[in-house]
Amino acid sequence: MAHINYNGAQHKIPDAEMERITTAIKEAMDKDEALALTVNDDEGDPNILFISRGVPVSVHGWDPLSPSEQMPFASFRNS
């Protein structure tokens, strides 16, 4: 399941919503606007994430808490 990492906390989102949410965040940042995004926590209660410049946020298509998923990785090499 996809998720948003918001200021260090994981919030699950439906896989089908990942592209729409990513686009909404990018458009808000391009306009230098804040975005209020409602997601549900593990108990199903709504949480509102206020996304703006300076708040660490990332959107992922893999679940870091699932033992069946392998976390993608990047490698860097000095040239």
Side-chain angles (χ1 to χ4, degrees), residues 3-77:
H3 71 279
I4 294 175
N5 185 320
Y6 175 80
N7 204 30
Q10 307 291 332
H11 300 275
K12 294 178 185 174
I13 57 172
D15 290 332
E17 294 292 305
M18 187 176 135
E19 186 173 334
R20 184 185 68 79
I21 290 171
T22 301
T23 299
I25 293 170
K26 182 180 180 327
E27 288 175 355
M29 295 303 101
D30 287 347
K31 296 176 186 174
D32 205 22
E33 297 176 347
L35 175 68
L37 180 65
T38 302
V39 296
N40 292 332
D41 64 15
D42 288 337
E43 285 91 41
D45 297 322
N47 289 280
I48 300 173
L49 309 180
F50 293 99
I51 300 171
S52 63
R53 293 201 183 278
V55 176
V57 62
S58 59
V59 182
H60 302 277
W62 45 270
D63 184 355
L65 303 178
S66 173
S68 65
E69 300 256 358
Q70 274 196 321
M71 185 184 298
F73 67 93
S75 61
F76 299 93
R77 188 173 72 187

